[in-house]
Amino acid sequence: MNISSLINELTEYGLKTGLIDPADKIYTINRLLELFGVNEYAPGESGDLANGGNTREINAILSDMLDYAAGEGLIEDTIGNRDLFDTKIMGLLTPPPSTVINRFNEDYKRSPKEATDNYYRLACDVNYIRTDRIKKDEKWSTDTEFGKLDITINLSKPEKDPKDIARAAKAKTQGYPACLLCRENEGYAGHMGHPARQNHRIIPITLNDENYFLQYSPYVYYNEHCIIFNEKHVPMKIDRDAFVKLLDFTKKFPHYTAGSNADLPIVGGSILSHDHFQGGRYEFPMVRAEYEKEFELPAFPGVHMGRIKWPMSTLRLRGSDPDKIADAADHILKSWRAYTDKDAFIFAYTDEEGTDGTKTKVPHNTITPIARRRGDDYELDLVLRNNITTEDLPLGVYHPHPEYHHIKKENIGLIEVMGLAILPARLKTEMAALKEAMLNGDDLTANELTRAHAEWAEGFINKHKINKDNIDAVVRDEIALVFMHVLEDAGVYKRTAEGLSAFDRFIESL
């Protein structure tokens, strides 16, 4: 198909999806001709589409356009260059920010759900969310003692090293945009070290009288995975304001969950330098966890509290008044930040000696909060976190332990806390090799792809009497059990009688 036919097909796609108005058709065609360095437009005598009069999926159209661009020397044919160029193409079809914002606000007047439905569809239509890549992710659920846990092998984003995350949090702000979340990403052309965002649009919202923006994650780890980020490039901070903002978000968008990563390295997220939350329209496994033991909070009438049956140490607050819930959460947070229990190896602070010999107190306790609506009530889960390290566990005591790094080495962030594992893409290849080796009776330590998994796999081969009919299910279930143990590792109180008793001591101290 020649470039004129491809431009015609893309333009028809834009008309069909509502990305462009019929009045803008010729204008859009001419912009695309300019992009491809073409002066003539000849899609055919009638301009008919090659696919039986129908447009193809957007990724198919763009793939052919990229092949043309590479063939004509417009781009070097690499994944990075193709991603930069196809985003530039779609930027010509993406409505301007003012149009997107006005549509969202008009939709919101009718229904918050209608507003997010249409906004999410736009993000997919303009290929900001690359649905063809997301479909490749492997997903399943497995029953555990804590209910079903959800597992995803992520095939669209590279694995991050916890040390790199910690270094990034301390890095000085530089460059434009300052980070991947900043509002200046909207429409940014990008480069090899920064993704293109010409097809990216953000929605201004107000939370607790502060300016934030709503956008969707291009990786969509779960349904309608959104990010709510501060207008300003300021560090993440868990405090009463954060609780109020999360609850305010669920008031404005009651069909969405919203949570925040913790604000300290190791137990925090991948971007600590820019204040943001994550949310979406998805029932995380944590939602289904029941109260295991309930407690009174006399100072906060109307707020119900209890610890829930979950691998990580979690308090759940529930009530009809979000301000009272935020007050109670703030009291718990302040108490936890100052709490030390040496017998449980929980230290609020430790001394760190600088190069000049001076000592500073380093904080370790924080919280991962998650807000949602439960009918007319508001609910706020507070997951207790601690980022202390030791010589034996330099990545963190309450972090995936080394025996599980072959499956999960990254920090346990907000999404994992709620029961959805985001596992690295390498596992797809490694698990395929592992299953083949197990079925063939091969030495698992002989292959580089299976060596790291050998001890783990040898522990369950005989237990399940593995064969070609059950091996896929067995491996998936065993991966889910590793994830469950990883969450238990990240929990500050162990799921033992002694550990739960220590948890209760903290709760009773409130």
Side-chain angles (χ1 to χ4, degrees), residues 487-500:
L487 292 181
E488 290 178 315
D489 283 348
V492 293
Y493 293 108
K494 301 311 171 190
R495 297 284 310 171
T496 62
E498 184 179 4
L500 294 176

Side-chain angles (χ1 to χ4, degrees), residues 66-341:
L66 293 170
D67 289 344
Y68 172 87
E72 293 295 313
L74 297 175
I75 62 169
E76 184 181 353
D77 196 8
T78 65
I79 293 174
N81 282 301
R82 289 173 76 95
D83 281 359
L84 288 171
F85 197 73
D86 70 5
T87 306
K88 190 173 186 178
I89 293 170
M90 291 308 299
L92 299 180
L93 273 72
T94 306
S98 58
T99 299
V100 175
I101 292 168
N102 289 336
R103 288 177 183 172
F104 184 93
N105 290 338
E106 287 302 312
D107 290 340
Y108 187 89
K109 291 176 183 177
R110 290 184 290 272
S111 161
K113 181 179 176 298
E114 182 177 342
T116 56
D117 282 350
N118 290 335
Y119 179 45
Y120 184 76
R121 187 178 303 112
L122 171 74
C124 294
D125 288 344
V126 300
N127 207 42
Y128 173 71
I129 295 174
R130 297 175 182 266
T131 54
D132 59 313
R133 295 182 184 176
I134 305 303
K135 289 175 183 176
K136 296 176 183 178
D137 289 350
E138 295 190 4
K139 301 180 180 182
W140 70 92
S141 296
T142 294
D143 286 317
T144 72
E145 64 181 278
F146 301 101
K148 285 186 181 295
L149 294 179
D150 296 342
I151 314 294
T152 296
I153 294 181
N154 167 47
L155 301 174
S156 57
K157 190 178 181 182
E159 186 173 12
K160 291 185 178 181
D161 188 286
K163 292 181 180 178
D164 290 336
I165 293 171
R167 280 195 292 268
K170 297 178 181 178
K172 292 182 179 179
T173 298
Q174 58 184 4
Y176 177 91
C179 77
L180 292 172
L181 291 181
C182 286
R183 63 180 300 188
E184 287 80 11
N185 282 280
E186 187 177 41
Y188 185 62
H191 48 77
M192 290 305 294
H194 193 107
R197 290 290 184 254
Q198 292 101 321
N199 58 350
H200 177 44
R201 299 294 180 264
I202 59 179
I203 303 296
I205 62 174
T206 302
L207 298 177
N208 194 30
D209 297 324
E210 287 190 41
N211 294 331
Y212 278 73
F213 289 95
L214 173 68
Q215 68 168 68
Y216 287 106
S217 166
Y219 304 109
V220 194
Y221 291 145
Y222 50 86
N223 187 46
E224 297 182 35
H225 178 187
C226 68
I227 300 172
I228 310 108
F229 64 96
N230 198 309
E231 177 185 46
K232 301 174 183 177
H233 184 79
V234 295
M236 291 190 60
K237 184 179 181 182
I238 300 300
D239 56 11
R240 185 184 185 280
D241 281 349
F243 302 142
V244 172
K245 290 167 187 173
L246 289 170
L247 293 163
D248 193 17
F249 182 82
T250 64
K251 181 178 182 180
K252 290 179 166 64
F253 301 95
H255 57 301
Y256 273 14
T257 290
S260 175
N261 272 301
D263 54 358
L264 294 177
I266 297 176
V267 296
S270 58
I271 302 178
L272 298 178
S273 59
H274 195 133
D275 174 35
H276 70 284
F277 310 124
Q278 295 183 72
R281 193 177 172 194
Y282 185 79
E283 184 178 89
F284 288 93
M286 175 184 257
V287 176
R288 299 186 288 271
E290 299 287 342
Y291 283 115
E292 190 170 48
K293 188 173 181 179
E294 300 175 53
F295 298 84
E296 294 293 328
L297 275 176
F300 305 96
V303 178
H304 184 73
M305 183 185 74
R307 61 170 164 84
I308 61 174
K309 185 178 180 181
W310 192 244
M312 298 184 69
S313 311
T314 306
L315 291 173
R316 175 167 292 167
L317 305 180
R318 185 185 296 169
S320 59
D321 187 335
D323 287 332
K324 289 182 179 179
I325 293 175
D327 288 339
D330 185 47
H331 171 67
I332 293 169
L333 172 66
K334 289 175 178 175
S335 300
W336 176 244
R337 287 211 191 268
Y339 190 77
T340 289
D341 183 343

